[in-house]
Amino acid sequence: MGESTERSEPADRQAFERIEAQIEERDNWARRRRKGIPTDKQLLVVACMDERIPVEEALGLSLGDAHIFRNAGGKVTSDVIRSAALSTNFFDTTEIIVINHTDCGMMSAPDDAVVEGLEATAGGDLQDVDLHPALSNLDIGDASIADWVWMTDDVDEACHAQVDYLRDHPLVPDEVTVHGYIYEVESDALRRPGERVAEQINTRVSEQ
Ligand code: ZN
């Protein structure tokens, strides 16, 4: 009764062909890395771990569309570089989007308070703490633990900086496009860094 008129596949496709297609589709999903199939949108998203950011919904992503890396602040740490290098060089990712956000927890405390809290947990100086479980020689050199924790002063500036870090990094190919956006928890909207949708204060200094 006209029910099949919207189907794109020919009605006379043989049963074994449909089954073969299903098997192929399943295999392409299950073994896509080994088969060299990229994410559906050839996209890597770097975002803050904050529970209020609906990353997939905000970007219109479905399962299979993108690699997604979330950490405290949505900062380009060494492991983001590592992940971006692998994603772009070996899994055909051609685009990176960084999502930072307003009211980020990384703006919610002074450096000293964060360092003191971590020192209390470690029971002493953090310079002797392994920062990588398998690479005990990997350290932060002359940098401070506060540098390593990397609190945020201003999300808009931070977003610009993360984009630049990825664009300029020698392990990320030049042809990869990198863009950054701010997710406003107040308005549930994405915006470009430096532009505001909601009227609110989003700098660390102003909040103190
Ligand atoms: Zn955050």
Side-chain angles (χ1 to χ4, degrees):
M1 302 295 282
E3 191 174 309
S4 64
T5 54
E6 292 179 12
R7 295 177 66 89
S8 58
E9 293 181 5
D12 62 350
R13 190 171 178 179
Q14 292 188 299
F16 88 89
E17 289 180 345
R18 293 197 303 273
I19 294 167
E20 288 293 325
Q22 286 171 6
I23 291 172
E24 182 71 9
E25 191 177 340
R26 168 58 57 184
D27 194 61
N28 285 346
W29 176 259
R31 303 200 307 137
R32 56 162 49 190
R33 285 296 93 79
R34 273 179 279 176
K35 296 175 89 169
I37 300 171
T39 62
D40 292 345
K41 297 202 183 305
Q42 293 178 261
L43 171 68
L44 165 65
V45 179
V46 177
C48 184
M49 67 183 182
D50 193 290
E51 73 277 19
R52 295 165 294 177
I53 309 176
V55 172
E56 290 86 349
E57 184 184 317
L59 296 177
L61 300 177
S62 301
L63 187 67
D65 280 349
H67 289 155
I68 298 178
F69 191 116
R70 304 186 68 165
N71 66 15
K75 297 293 184 68
V76 178
T77 59
S78 61
D79 205 19
V80 169
I81 294 294
R82 166 179 167 274
S83 301
L86 295 172
S87 185
T88 57
N89 285 286
F90 303 109
F91 301 122
D92 291 333
T93 291
T94 58
E95 182 179 11
I96 302 174
I97 291 179
V98 177
I99 306 289
N100 300 113
H101 68 104
T102 56
D103 194 48
C104 186
M106 300 302 288
M107 298 189 293
S108 64
D111 285 0
D112 290 350
V114 176
V115 173
E116 285 171 17
L118 294 176
E119 284 175 341
T121 298
D125 192 351
L126 295 174
Q127 293 296 339
D128 298 327
V129 172
D130 285 346
L131 299 178
H132 189 303
L135 296 172
S136 59
N137 289 333
L138 187 73
D139 60 41
I140 57 176
D142 295 331
S144 69
I145 286 295
D147 293 331
W148 177 74
V149 172
W150 208 359
M151 298 295 281
T152 300
D153 288 328
D154 182 290
V155 290
D156 298 279
E157 288 178 10
C159 190
H160 280 306
Q162 310 319 305
V163 168
D164 288 344
Y165 293 139
L166 286 165
R167 278 185 184 156
D168 297 341
H169 202 279
L171 296 181
V172 176
D174 292 341
E175 58 268 27
V176 171
T177 62
V178 186
H179 290 93
Y181 297 96
I182 303 293
Y183 173 78
E184 289 190 346
V185 294
E186 301 85 356
S187 59
D188 188 27
L190 281 177
R191 61 163 170 77
R192 300 184 190 93
E195 300 175 356
R196 283 190 185 182
V197 176
E199 274 302 320
Q200 46 83 47
I201 296 166
N202 63 358
T203 65
R204 185 183 182 190
V205 173
S206 300
E207 287 188 344
Q208 290 175 349

